[in-house]
Each structure stands twice: as C-alpha cells, then as structure tokens.
Amino acid sequence: MARNDPFILLIEADLAVRHPLSEYLRTCGYKVLEAGTTDEALIILKSADRGFEIDVLLCDVNSPGSIDGFGLSRWVREHQPGLRVILAGSIERMTEQAGDLCEKGLILEKPYHYQTLLDRIKREKARHDNIRSRN
C-alpha cells in the first residue's frame, strides 16, 4: 500500500452498519481498516510496523471495549495528536459525554448520511495532511 493512500480506521460493532459503510468509503477511494471494538482499534493504533499512516479515525461513541469512543478519542489526543477523530452516535449520548472533545473533534449523528460523512472525512484528511506537512 502506498504511503500517500488515504486511510480510515472505522470502529463500529454492528457489522450491518460497518460493512456497507466501509464499502462505500472504499468506492470513494479510501483504504478502510475495520475494528469491531475499541480494543481492536488500539491494537491497530499501537502497531508501529503497520507501514502506513491512518488519516482519520471514525468511531461510534458507544463502541464496545475496555474504553468507549470518547475514551478512545482521549487516548488518540494524548498519544497520536495529529490523528483526526470523528465520533458518531445518538445526540443524547454525545451531549451527555462530549465535554471538551466537542471543541476539538467532530461529532456526527447516526444514522449516517453518506455524503455528509464523506465531506467531513475529506475535511479531516486535509487537516491531517496539513499537520503532517508542518512536521
């Protein structure tokens, strides 16, 4: 895989949501890595020898695992601050727990509207590229 191929890490427990969303993003030109839990996502994120850089992380706020989507977003902020995060979930859950994450990350309401999601991914990928080019 080429270094400049845009990569998305999608964390979604529901296979009926994850699979069609991944396929849609692939048809839009993205390489998509899939995780069903935040623990699986952390394994991928901590893998130093993966040979590519993840540009955008898209995570359900209610993802199962040792931490939820908000916890994963906090981990990313601390350990991989250049990685752009988009959180998705119900409005009730997001407003209850978003706190300071809302100021720094994007929140996307489910169910997904694919074009809206694609537009946000493109913006976050551009921001990630700008951060990477400055370093």
Side-chain angles (χ1 to χ4, degrees), residues 41-77:
L42 283 168
I43 290 169
I44 293 168
L45 291 168
K46 291 177 182 178
S47 175
D49 63 343
R50 62 181 179 246
F52 56 89
E53 187 171 344
I54 297 169
D55 299 290
V56 177
L57 183 143
L58 174 59
C59 184
D60 186 321
V61 297
N62 293 317
S63 291
S66 57
I67 56 177
D68 63 7
F70 288 108
L72 183 60
S73 184
R74 287 184 193 95
W75 185 92
V76 166
R77 184 184 297 163

Side-chain angles (χ1 to χ4, degrees), residues 8-14 17-18 21-22 25 32-42 44-45 54 56-65 67-69 72-73 76 83-88 110 112:
I8 297 171
L9 175 54
L10 172 61
I11 302 97
E12 171 62 60
D14 187 344
V17 173
R18 187 174 72 227
L21 180 55
S22 293
L25 292 171
V32 180
L33 298 171
E34 298 179 29
T37 68
T38 56
D39 296 322
E40 291 173 7
L42 283 168
I44 293 168
L45 291 168
I54 297 169
V56 177
L57 183 143
L58 174 59
C59 184
D60 186 321
V61 297
N62 293 317
S63 291
I67 56 177
D68 63 7
L72 183 60
S73 184
V76 166
L83 177 57
R84 304 303 299 175
V85 177
I86 300 173
L87 293 173
K110 289 172 90 176
Y112 296 110

Side-chain angles (χ1 to χ4, degrees), residues 28-135:
C28 294
Y30 292 95
K31 305 289 185 196
V32 180
L33 298 171
E34 298 179 29
T37 68
T38 56
D39 296 322
E40 291 173 7
L42 283 168
I43 290 169
I44 293 168
L45 291 168
K46 291 177 182 178
S47 175
D49 63 343
R50 62 181 179 246
F52 56 89
E53 187 171 344
I54 297 169
D55 299 290
V56 177
L57 183 143
L58 174 59
C59 184
D60 186 321
V61 297
N62 293 317
S63 291
S66 57
I67 56 177
D68 63 7
F70 288 108
L72 183 60
S73 184
R74 287 184 193 95
W75 185 92
V76 166
R77 184 184 297 163
E78 182 178 331
H79 295 93
Q80 296 186 13
L83 177 57
R84 304 303 299 175
V85 177
I86 300 173
L87 293 173
S90 71
I91 288 294
E92 296 81 22
R93 171 82 169 143
M94 289 186 293
T95 55
E96 285 175 11
Q97 295 194 10
D100 64 333
L101 289 175
C102 288
E103 296 173 17
K104 297 198 178 197
L106 290 175
I107 303 286
L108 188 64
E109 186 175 358
K110 289 172 90 176
Y112 296 110
H113 297 279
Y114 283 2
Q115 188 59 50
T116 302
L117 174 62
L118 184 59
D119 292 342
R120 289 201 176 174
I121 287 172
K122 286 178 181 178
R123 283 196 304 266
E124 292 308 303
K125 165 103 173 61
R127 288 181 181 153
H128 180 257
D129 291 346
N130 286 336
I131 291 168
R132 187 183 330 164
S133 67
R134 283 186 253 147
N135 295 332

